[in-house]
Amino acid sequence: MGQRKPIVAGNWKMNGSSELIKEIAAVSTQVSGEQREVLIFPPAVLLSEAISAGLNCGTQTVSEFESGAYTGETQATLVKSLGANYTLVGHSERRSIYGESDEDVANKFAQAQQSGLTPILCIGETQAQREEGKTEEVVKQQLEAVIKKLGIASLANSVIAYEPVWAIGTGLTATPEQAQATHKYIRDLLSGYDEQVANALRILYGGSVNESNSELLFAQADIDGGLIGGASLKPESFKAICESAKG
């Protein structure tokens, strides 16, 4: 990991409450600092409350449009004005359930950066794609959609989250070796564009990370922390995962 400060990010999805905000804020105070960055993605309606509680926050998605007649969308500039620092873009649930294309994700990435948010670009393959040996092809295509639109330099102000879709919420987890192999592929691919950007870029692993597997995952050379789903809703589990990420 070297010079890269790990991130442990909790994606609450459509879960959470005022009570959970208080509990996670207490945990975050104990585990944030020099060794790691702790980050929470609550539902948009809880974002302001979470920030007021002292949490380092992002939103789970933003609109690709700056403003306008887009009912129900989340405006990146407004998210930034609330005090959030990050947004997820291209989470597999946004891609699969809401039909976001690689182009849509690149547009959201651009809008996030334009608004002063740091995008966490989520990439990863399905079970079928892995079985067909297409993991590298899929993540390359998802990365290059952003590079082609914005250039490799745009990734200097971003984070990547590799999430094998087959391991999200299923209880299945890529082995540390499987995860490391894909993380190394991502870093090597980006090194072909710009070695300095690639070496500094934080690449998180997501997919059924819990307190029993996080230490081995985070110990891998190219894994710089995790994007945590279900376990981020359990304060003690989330605390243990955070403590296993050491810069």
Side-chain angles (χ1 to χ4, degrees), residues 54-171:
L55 286 165
N56 179 23
C57 284
T59 189
Q60 296 172 14
T61 187
V62 289
S63 173
E64 64 266 45
F65 303 109
E66 192 171 346
S67 61
Y70 303 105
T71 299
E73 286 294 311
T74 301
Q75 186 185 30
T77 50
L78 188 53
V79 168
K80 179 66 178 173
S81 74
L82 290 174
N85 299 306
Y86 289 87
T87 183
L88 299 178
V89 293
H91 189 280
S92 63
E93 288 156 13
R94 298 297 312 176
R95 294 178 190 264
S96 64
I97 300 170
Y98 300 101
E100 290 184 9
S101 66
D102 289 339
E103 185 181 1
D104 293 333
V105 173
N107 289 337
K108 290 184 175 215
F109 187 104
Q111 184 59 234
Q113 286 194 330
Q114 190 178 314
S115 304
L117 296 172
T118 300
I120 297 185
L121 174 63
C122 302
I123 60 175
E125 82 285 8
T126 64
Q127 180 75 49
Q129 288 165 336
R130 175 166 276 272
E131 288 170 358
E132 290 165 14
K134 292 183 175 175
T135 296
E136 293 182 358
E137 182 185 325
V138 170
V139 300
K140 182 175 191 232
Q141 179 183 314
Q142 291 171 334
L143 284 166
E144 288 187 340
V146 171
I147 295 168
K148 283 173 184 167
K149 180 179 178 64
L150 299 165
I152 187 65
S154 67
L155 292 182
N157 182 33
S158 75
V159 177
I160 304 292
Y162 167 62
E163 297 193 297
V165 179
W166 49 271
I168 298 173
T170 60

Side-chain angles (χ1 to χ4, degrees), residues 172-190:
L172 298 170
T173 311
T175 65
E177 294 75 22
Q178 284 175 319
Q180 165 58 20
T182 306
H183 279 239
K184 184 176 188 309
Y185 169 76
I186 292 165
R187 204 176 302 281
D188 287 349
L189 173 70
L190 298 176

Side-chain angles (χ1 to χ4, degrees), residues 200-244:
L201 184 67
R202 293 183 287 185
I203 308 175
L204 314 183
Y205 173 75
S208 298
V209 178
N210 57 51
E211 62 268 45
S212 63
N213 62 26
S214 60
E215 190 161 359
L216 278 175
L217 285 163
F218 297 166
Q220 303 303 307
D222 290 293
I223 298 180
D224 306 310
L227 182 56
I228 318 301
S232 70
L233 301 168
K234 303 169 187 169
E236 287 309 308
S237 296
F238 188 61
K239 181 183 179 185
I241 293 167
C242 288
E243 287 172 341
S244 66

